[in-house]
Amino acid sequence: MSQSPKVKRWLVAGLVFVASAVIFLSSDPRTQLSWPEKIVRDTLAPVQDVLAGVGRSMSRTTESIVAWRELVHENARLKTDVERLTREVVALQEAGRENQRLRDALGLVQTSTVKQIAVEIIARPLDNWANFVTVNKGSRAGIKPGMPVVTAHGVVGHVQNVTAGTAQVLLIIDRRSAIGAIVRRTSQLMLVEGARPTAEALHLKPLVREANVEVGDEIITSGLSQIFPKGLPIGTVVSVKSDEYGFVESATVRPYVDFSRIEFAFALAAAVDAEGEGDTSASE
Amino acid sequence: MRPSSVRYIVMTMVILLALVVQTAVLSRIHLFGVRPDLILVLASLTALIRGSRSGFWVGLAGGLVGDLFTGSFVGLGALSKALTAYMVGTLGRRLFGERILVPLVAVAFASLFEEWLYVMGADLFGQALPIVGGFTQVGLPVAGYNVVLTPLVFPWLLYLYRVLERLEGERSPVV
């Protein structure tokens, strides 16, 4: 029996109301997901993992073929870099030994444990408005919301929410992301935010009036946020915008991490750094 | 098993496959600086082949699964894709008739319309997205990418629906 028009109207109105409520409740970033969301993510994750692996192999093969000549030049350049870095490592090792000798002399005890959980990117967002990635480890592997995610090049983002087998990482280039940062050269406080939706660039806002920012400046995390420890590389300033009085109004930062090619990263589980005379208690 | 049940199962698997291919493979391949919207392409072409109601349900289901995966504005993508596919199905045949360009033009307009709907919806729920910037930086490039994908998707989708229709013993309302 078909429903009367009045019943249909009430049904449609009810559905629109429920849909509006769900959209509204899910409009802000959340750390806790509903069970349907967890089911979808955890069910699709294994297939995404396999396809992501296939995609990576194909990308590498294509890139190798296309970049053959550059690879030859890059190989020569890397050999030179390896020699230089080897000399630097030797010098740093000596500096580390001297540091430890001085600490022993002063009676300082240093405890620093940063547990790194290696993760693999298995999926990227569906639309072009969000900038996040899904990784192949979740709460089962010890990943928790709020953990910073980095690569050897720099900051990637932070864990927004987790399921048993996956985690969603909000990238620093997302428009909802904001990180406390400093200019390495001047130690002035800045705020780094995601820029345009399809741009892999960051927007830098000075938090001091007479900010001293120049093209080429390195931006690192300030350590003032609850999420990112101090000193993690973020990117390099590529352009500066000044106001009519010559004060720096904003700047554009090119991140060190290539977000279009990132495949692996590390979630920093805990950064415990305690210094004191025989004090081994952990603090965050 | 009833033929209609087979159709629902097959379409569910097609939607999930599209979602996985989109997130694990196509999202790594940027064209015009953007990622495509394979779910929207699927829903729009379904609307052309099977009618506006079928396109509506594919858009709704595919969009909802995508929203659950994303975890943000759950339901908005579903509604925007469903309404867009319904519009494509309603207008597609009336305006263009049986021409080879129908799928391409339909997908292009569907992409622009769906991005506009999404931006309006997000704005309504408190997340201001740039309208003009969204059109130039997202809408147009996404439409271009979706049009590039259409010739790859359309023949397979058409073949699949023909097979399903043969199973169900229906006449094919083919474009």
Side-chain angles (χ1 to χ4, degrees):
Chain A
M1 184 186 294
S2 61
Q3 293 162 331
S4 68
K6 195 175 177 183
V7 170
K8 276 187 184 172
R9 274 199 291 271
W10 277 109
L11 201 61
V12 169
L15 284 172
V16 168
F17 178 77
V18 168
S20 301
V22 171
I23 295 172
F24 177 72
L25 289 171
S26 62
S27 59
D28 283 331
R30 294 166 290 141
T31 56
Q32 291 295 327
L33 297 178
S34 62
W35 63 264
E37 290 167 310
K38 288 179 183 175
I39 287 173
V40 168
R41 288 247 295 263
D42 282 336
T43 304
L44 295 178
V47 186
Q48 286 169 324
D49 203 353
V50 169
L51 279 183
V54 170
R56 268 195 295 278
S57 301
M58 286 169 61
S59 285
R60 281 191 210 123
T61 305
T62 311
E63 283 167 7
S64 298
I65 294 169
V66 169
W68 182 254
R69 273 192 207 166
E70 281 89 11
L71 283 173
V72 172
H73 293 298
E74 194 182 9
N75 192 35
R77 184 178 58 75
L78 284 171
K79 279 183 182 167
T80 311
D81 284 346
V82 164
E83 287 167 17
R84 176 179 58 80
L85 288 167
T86 304
R87 287 194 294 273
E88 282 183 23
V89 164
V90 170
L92 284 169
Q93 281 173 341
E94 180 52 39
R97 281 191 285 272
E98 187 179 358
N99 180 272
Q100 190 57 50
R101 280 197 294 273
L102 290 169
R103 283 184 171 276
D104 291 341
L106 287 169
L108 291 175
V109 176
Q110 178 179 332
T111 306
S112 174
T113 42
V114 179
K115 184 184 170 193
Q116 297 183 8
I117 304 174
V119 295
E120 206 172 299
I121 281 86
I122 58 171
R124 292 163 205 262
L126 279 169
D127 59 46
N128 292 281
W129 296 106
N131 278 297
F132 66 86
V133 293
T134 303
V135 299
N136 66 339
K137 288 180 185 169
S139 55
R140 262 200 306 259
I143 295 189
K144 296 176 185 168
M147 280 184 180
V149 178
V150 301
T151 67
H153 299 285
V155 176
V156 172
H158 74 275
V159 176
Q160 195 169 37
N161 51 60
V162 296
T163 64
T166 70
Q168 194 174 79
V169 177
L170 185 71
L171 304 179
I172 57 171
I173 53 173
D174 189 274
R175 68 184 189 285
R176 295 164 293 177
S177 170
I179 310 176
I182 56 173
V183 181
R184 190 191 277 276
R185 180 174 55 89
T186 62
S187 297
Q188 286 181 323
L189 282 176
M190 305 281 153
L191 187 68
V192 172
E193 300 172 317
R196 294 180 295 121
T198 56
E200 288 196 6
L202 300 165
H203 189 237
L204 185 77
K205 271 190 203 168
L207 295 178
V208 294
R209 179 73 175 135
E210 294 174 12
N212 181 356
V213 181
E214 294 172 4
V215 172
D217 275 341
E218 188 183 348
I219 307 299
I220 59 175
T221 53
S222 64
L224 295 178
S225 77
Q226 299 283 332
I227 295 175
F228 297 101
K230 186 180 178 180
L232 297 175
I234 296 175
T236 310
V237 176
V238 293
S239 68
V240 177
K241 186 180 169 189
S242 301
D243 62 17
E244 55 190 353
Y245 303 106
F247 294 126
V248 174
E249 204 171 63
S250 64
T252 301
V253 173
R254 187 181 63 235
Y256 289 124
V257 174
D258 185 349
F259 291 99
S260 61
R261 290 168 186 259
I262 182 174
E263 302 290 354
F264 302 95
F266 295 94
L268 302 182
V272 178
D273 213 347
E275 288 193 22
E277 293 193 25
D279 180 6
T280 57
S281 59
S283 62
E284 196 173 320
Chain B
M1 187 180 283
R2 288 167 51 189
S4 58
S5 304
V6 171
R7 175 159 44 102
Y8 295 140
I9 291 169
V10 168
M11 285 318 298
T12 301
M13 289 172 64
V14 168
I15 288 170
L16 290 176
L17 179 65
L19 183 70
V20 170
V21 168
Q22 161 100 27
T23 56
V25 181
L26 291 180
S27 58
R28 301 159 52 89
I29 308 169
H30 285 210
L31 198 60
F32 313 125
V34 295
R35 307 176 193 99
D37 192 340
L38 195 54
I39 303 285
L40 180 66
V41 172
L42 200 67
S44 303
L45 295 179
T46 299
L48 282 180
I49 297 170
R50 298 271 311 175
S52 49
R53 278 184 66 178
S54 295
F56 177 89
W57 288 114
V58 170
L60 191 73
L64 185 60
V65 174
D67 288 342
L68 288 172
F69 176 77
T70 306
S72 179
F73 288 114
V74 175
L76 183 58
L79 285 177
S80 60
K81 285 177 176 53
L83 291 173
T84 301
Y86 191 86
M87 182 203 70
V88 166
T90 304
L91 297 177
R93 291 180 208 162
R94 278 190 209 173
L95 292 178
F96 298 105
E98 294 184 12
R99 295 177 193 164
I100 198 78
L101 284 180
V102 169
L104 296 175
V105 175
V107 164
F109 277 107
S111 306
L112 292 170
F113 185 69
E114 197 270 341
E115 288 292 338
W116 176 79
L117 268 183
Y118 190 87
V119 169
M120 291 293 119
D123 194 49
L124 192 65
F125 288 98
Q127 189 75 253
L129 299 177
I131 297 174
V132 174
F135 180 75
T136 55
Q137 292 161 27
V138 180
L140 282 175
V142 169
Y145 201 158
N146 288 348
V147 166
V148 168
L149 285 180
T150 299
L152 302 172
V153 175
F154 185 67
W156 291 102
L157 200 61
L158 191 61
Y159 173 74
L160 178 68
Y161 279 125
R162 279 188 175 153
V163 167
L164 289 173
E165 282 155 9
R166 256 184 251 130
L167 279 175
E168 294 171 9
E170 290 177 14
R171 285 185 58 193
S172 163
V174 169
V175 172

